[in-house]
Amino acid sequence: MKKGNKYGTHRVIEPKGVLPQPANRIDNNMDEIYDNEILINVKTLNIDSASFTQIEEQAGGDEKKIAEIMLDIVAKQGKHRNPVTGSGGMLLGVVEKIGDALVGKTDLKVGDKIATLVSLSLTPLRIDKIKDIRKDIDQVDIDGKAILFESGIYAKIPEDMPENLALSALDVAGAPAQTAKLVKPGDTVLIIGAGGKSGMLCCYEAKKRAGVTGKVIGLCHSEKSTKRLQELGFCDYVFSADATQPVPVLEKIEELTNGQMCDVTINNVNITDTEMTSILCTKDTGVVYFFSMATSFTKAALGAEGVGSDVTMIVGNGYTRGHAEITLQLLRESEKLRKVFTELYA
Amino acid sequence: MKKGCKYGTHRVIEPKGTLPQPALKVDNTMSIYDNELLIDVTTLNIDSASFTQIKKACKGDIEKMEEMIFSIVEERGKMQNPVTGSGGMLIGKVKEIGPNFPDKSLKIGDKIATLVSLSLTPLKISRIKNINFDNDQVDVEAQAILFESGIYAVLPDDIPEKLALAVLDVAGAPAQTERLVKKGNTVCIIGGGGKSGVLCSYQAMKNAGPTGKVIVVEYSKENAQRIQDLNLATHVIVADATNVMEVYNKVMEITNGEGCDVTINNVNVPSTEMTSILVTKDDGLVYFFSMATSFSKAALGAEGVGKDINLIVGNGYARGHAELSLNIIRESETVKELFSKLYV
């Protein structure tokens, strides 16, 4: 068995010297694996929400065209990294083979059902057949294979909940785990894109951390998601607005916080141009956490400077230690969350 | 006089409901609202990423660059590079002050530098007098508007104007470094030989102290040698920062495989996110000052290699940043000499 690099650089075809994520093309030959790789028999791809939205739009909603676009991406790159959004997603499958160098080092066995928690944007993938596209939950069932590198993180699918339920939550596992780190008792927290998958988990976790002296405000887009979030009861206040319009949102937050604005703002929306809204709604000394893959670096950086705000802006890191356990635990402890996730995503 | 919004939304032409920075077009009519400042502009300091892009697109032809700058301002009402999205800053004299402009100490005729980006500043250029390739500065006859929320610095008497401008342009970088670097830290400064890099290195050395390490990664041999000669780092690596594994291996060698507590990225080329992430310790912090940073490359990159680190979007504004950066020039003869030689 050939020796592989921890980060998977042995699979990079071009450009040379980069890692698999920024690479334009990686080797997705699965006939032979390297000594530190894990071969996965893939069942389901959970496409990143920004990526799926873009593909769906490009295809005009046509399933056959969605399948064509996806096959084309993998044919060109050897991985499913959306060329427009740059993002990937994750996958669910069964361990088929474990590289020699990992035997005894990993807790995985052949036949274990796992979800990869590294992005599809760097995971060598081969799609043999697209079997089913579930547009409402951004999931695609396939016949295919994938490779997990030594540095790649994963979670074993727990036995006490259905796999699709676990997968949908693990996909956004970083968001509630980072929320847990950021929000302190008494904080005023704004969650933008609060009605979506990661949004609901963040609202639940934020309220848990902010406590009775804190205030959690949820901003949703559609009336339906607004109503749903109101009924879940995680937030102190839920309202509906277009997050790309900073001025009306700013006015609303001023009213809700008596002009104090928010200590922490967490942005989860999968559309562009919401950076300014996030910045303006946050205190000068506060923190904005950008989880949205649609965030523009320059719009955020120059935006804060432009309005003279000394806010700390953090690039959402999908990984933080223990994030899978934290997130699955939320579904175990909240009946309401589990119910709504089962209804919507499983 | 018409009443203006604090953030300048009254000048946004399209799309409606956005702020001046993300707007495609702002109104650059040079009659002021009640809370605005009118400035007679003498020099534009174009953001380095933007200047590089314009220079490349025009193959270094000065006339074409002039045309391109004119056409950007004509189209958008501001000097926001449509490719990089970035701006820069300007220097000029206060021509008129709106009655509701908050700072009452400012007087007509004061020489100021705006510290908000050109990417949101209404600008009208009547003539381009000179384009200076060495320092990304463009001398102009022009007028500009500063909004109520706009930050600026009155230029000091004890520092030559162009020197002050060169420093103020990157004032956020050393100010953030001052907040981030603690005594004994190992710090990596990627692109440490450039303008903001030198100020960051100076500040990092000061904060990390004798028990810390400051590692500068620099592409140009000349810049690297200079950093070494001036003692602005404890270690200097000459390498292409986009070459992840090479830089990673060298930093690991210097740090005995531990990596860095704080990494500050100042380079104006794309695809250096992964390098920044890999050289940083778990639980460490990467500060991205480079406007060439890709959000998704940074976010997915860290996740992709399973790294639990904080990735921060460089904020060009930090309270007190103008004073802090001008003080570096006052306290360090070395930095002052270097900046005078290179950027003035």
Side-chain angles (χ1 to χ4, degrees):
Chain A
M1 231 177 233
K2 280 186 281 187
K3 275 186 88 66
N5 165 280
K6 179 179 175 191
Y7 298 115
T9 52
H10 54 275
R11 291 252 175 198
V12 173
I13 296 175
E14 64 120 22
K16 283 285 171 207
V18 302
L19 277 104
Q21 204 279 328
N24 295 325
R25 189 175 168 78
I26 59 176
D27 173 14
N28 65 348
N29 182 341
M30 316 275 175
D31 298 339
E32 198 189 342
I33 66 167
Y34 287 72
D35 70 337
N36 63 345
E37 293 181 338
I38 290 169
L39 179 67
I40 305 163
N41 197 352
V42 183
K43 293 181 58 186
T44 304
L45 302 175
N46 218 41
I47 307 295
D48 165 80
S49 163
S51 170
F52 196 84
T53 305
Q54 189 279 324
I55 293 172
E56 201 180 351
E57 261 172 28
Q58 192 187 328
D62 182 279
E63 285 194 13
K64 234 173 131 187
K65 280 199 186 125
I66 293 176
E68 269 170 32
I69 293 170
M70 290 181 60
L71 288 170
D72 184 56
I73 290 173
V74 175
K76 282 189 177 130
Q77 305 189 27
K79 56 181 180 174
H80 199 277
R81 181 183 66 167
N82 184 311
V84 180
T85 64
S87 58
M90 49 184 291
L91 63 82
L92 184 74
V94 174
V95 174
E96 189 175 306
K97 206 188 271 178
I98 297 172
D100 295 345
L102 294 180
V103 175
K105 274 171 83 182
T106 171
D107 62 343
L108 288 178
K109 301 181 306 294
V110 170
D112 277 351
K113 198 177 278 178
I114 63 166
T116 62
L117 301 180
V118 285
S119 174
L120 287 178
S121 66
L122 62 90
T123 304
L125 177 70
R126 190 183 86 206
I127 302 181
D128 299 323
K129 194 175 156 207
I130 293 186
K131 299 196 319 204
D132 187 25
I133 297 174
R134 275 164 287 155
K135 283 197 280 190
D136 46 337
I137 54 174
D138 307 347
Q139 285 186 356
V140 180
D141 288 337
I142 64 159
D143 280 336
K145 300 212 189 294
I147 293 285
L148 188 69
F149 299 129
E150 188 180 340
S151 66
I153 38 174
Y154 58 85
K156 280 199 225 183
I157 297 298
E159 284 173 7
D160 61 344
M161 63 179 81
E163 67 184 37
N164 269 343
L165 176 63
L167 186 64
S168 68
L170 288 171
D171 175 37
V172 292
Q178 298 286 7
T179 304
K181 278 191 185 172
L182 285 174
V183 178
K184 305 274 172 292
D187 276 356
T188 298
V189 184
L190 170 65
I191 317 269
I192 300 180
K197 193 156 70 170
S198 57
M200 286 190 284
L201 291 170
C202 288
C203 289
Y204 176 82
E205 186 64 37
K207 189 57 196 171
K208 203 166 117 185
R209 302 281 163 177
V212 285
T213 55
K215 189 187 261 179
V216 176
I217 303 167
L219 192 170
C220 302
H221 192 218
S222 76
E223 239 172 75
K224 213 166 122 193
S225 65
T226 310
K227 190 152 174 282
R228 192 166 60 216
L229 190 62
Q230 273 162 348
E231 283 166 5
L232 283 169
F234 303 152
C235 298
D236 297 281
Y237 195 87
V238 179
F239 71 106
S240 159
D242 178 356
T244 65
Q245 302 281 309
V247 181
V249 178
L250 169 70
E251 284 165 0
K252 183 75 186 171
I253 297 297
E254 272 174 345
E255 179 199 317
L256 290 173
T257 62
N258 294 322
Q260 298 290 301
M261 313 316 281
C262 304
D263 298 289
V264 177
T265 296
I266 298 170
N267 185 327
N268 286 303
V269 289
N270 57 7
I271 51 166
T272 52
D273 294 323
T274 60
E275 298 85 359
M276 234 24 246
T277 304
S278 312
I279 292 164
L280 289 181
C281 292
T282 310
K283 279 181 191 169
D284 191 43
T285 49
V287 176
V288 180
Y289 206 93
F290 286 108
F291 254 108
S292 163
M293 282 299 146
T295 306
S296 151
F297 184 88
T298 48
K299 280 183 187 167
L302 298 172
E305 185 189 85
V307 294
S309 168
D310 197 355
V311 67
T312 300
M313 296 174 285
I314 309 190
V315 177
N317 182 346
Y319 175 64
T320 180
R321 268 185 294 275
H323 69 333
E325 293 73 26
I326 290 174
T327 303
L328 292 173
Q329 194 53 35
L330 299 185
L331 291 180
R332 292 191 185 104
E333 76 187 34
S334 166
E335 182 69 38
K336 283 182 189 168
L337 264 181
R338 192 164 65 238
K339 195 159 162 269
V340 74
F341 266 64
T342 305
E343 266 168 37
L344 294 174
Y345 310 115
Chain B
M1 207 176 262
K2 281 185 283 186
K3 277 187 90 67
C5 149
K6 177 178 175 191
Y7 299 116
T9 53
H10 53 275
R11 292 243 176 208
V12 172
I13 295 176
E14 62 140 309
K16 285 284 172 206
T18 64
L19 277 104
Q21 203 277 327
L24 294 173
K25 191 173 174 68
V26 298
D27 173 15
N28 63 351
T29 313
M30 290 298 153
S31 56
I32 62 167
Y33 285 67
D34 71 330
N35 60 347
E36 292 180 338
L37 207 64
L38 178 67
I39 305 163
D40 270 332
V41 184
T42 50
T43 305
L44 303 174
N45 221 39
I46 308 290
D47 164 80
S48 163
S50 171
F51 194 85
T52 306
Q53 191 276 329
I54 292 171
K55 197 163 82 182
K56 256 194 190 160
C58 300
K59 300 188 172 72
D61 182 314
I62 289 208
E63 244 171 68
K64 284 207 181 115
M65 288 174 74
E66 274 183 26
E67 262 171 45
M68 193 165 163
I69 292 170
F70 264 120
S71 85
I72 289 172
V73 176
E74 181 72 25
E75 208 176 299
R76 318 195 82 172
K78 55 182 181 173
M79 183 55 209
Q80 181 184 31
N81 185 311
V83 179
T84 64
S86 58
M89 50 184 289
L90 64 82
I91 203 164
K93 269 190 182 152
V94 176
K95 173 108 189 278
E96 196 182 346
I97 305 170
N100 292 323
F101 189 78
D103 186 348
K104 301 296 178 200
S105 65
L106 202 63
K107 297 179 303 296
I108 288 173
D110 276 353
K111 196 176 276 180
I112 62 168
T114 62
L115 302 179
V116 285
S117 173
L118 288 178
S119 65
L120 63 92
T121 304
L123 178 72
K124 197 173 245 173
I125 305 180
S126 42
R127 197 161 80 88
I128 292 180
K129 299 200 287 203
N130 183 38
I131 296 183
N132 192 332
F133 282 84
D134 300 330
N135 57 17
D136 307 347
Q137 286 184 352
V138 180
D139 289 330
V140 291
E141 271 171 28
Q143 288 194 317
I145 296 285
L146 190 72
F147 300 129
E148 181 182 335
S149 64
I151 38 176
Y152 61 88
V154 176
L155 289 171
D157 295 332
D158 60 341
I159 297 172
E161 166 182 318
K162 291 214 162 167
L163 176 59
L165 187 64
V167 174
L168 288 171
D169 175 37
V170 291
Q176 300 287 3
T177 304
E178 207 275 327
R179 290 182 184 178
L180 293 174
V181 178
K182 307 275 172 291
K183 209 171 136 187
N185 273 178
T186 298
V187 184
C188 182
I189 302 188
I190 299 182
K195 191 157 73 168
S196 58
V198 166
L199 295 177
C200 288
S201 304
Y202 176 83
Q203 192 64 46
M205 286 288 275
K206 197 168 146 184
N207 282 31
T211 55
K213 277 194 185 94
V214 176
I215 304 165
V216 161
V217 177
E218 173 57 47
Y219 181 76
S220 128
K221 266 191 194 149
E222 198 191 336
N223 285 1
Q225 188 61 47
R226 205 160 56 212
I227 291 290
Q228 202 131 38
D229 294 344
L230 298 178
N231 239 342
L232 289 169
T234 54
H235 300 78
V236 179
I237 296 171
V238 182
D240 177 351
T242 64
N243 195 332
V244 184
M245 295 320 285
E246 186 193 345
V247 177
Y248 171 76
N249 290 332
K250 285 185 176 158
V251 172
M252 287 303 141
E253 202 178 299
I254 294 170
T255 61
N256 295 321
E258 285 193 359
C260 305
D261 299 291
V262 176
T263 298
I264 299 171
N265 185 324
N266 285 305
V267 288
N268 59 6
V269 293
S271 300
T272 60
E273 298 85 358
M274 234 22 245
T275 307
S276 315
I277 291 166
L278 282 192
V279 301
T280 308
K281 278 182 195 171
D282 254 330
D283 293 320
L285 184 148
V286 182
Y287 206 91
F288 289 105
F289 254 109
S290 161
M291 283 300 147
T293 306
S294 151
F295 184 90
S296 58
K297 278 185 188 168
L300 297 173
E303 184 190 84
V305 293
K307 271 230 151 159
D308 194 357
I309 55 177
N310 281 315
L311 310 169
I312 316 272
V313 178
N315 184 346
Y317 175 64
R319 262 181 302 277
H321 68 333
E323 297 77 64
L324 183 131
S325 57
L326 291 172
N327 272 339
I328 293 181
I329 295 295
R330 292 187 183 111
E331 72 191 30
S332 166
E333 200 53 46
T334 318
V335 176
K336 186 178 177 181
E337 253 174 49
L338 180 67
F339 268 61
S340 305
K341 201 168 84 194
L342 295 178
Y343 306 115
V344 176

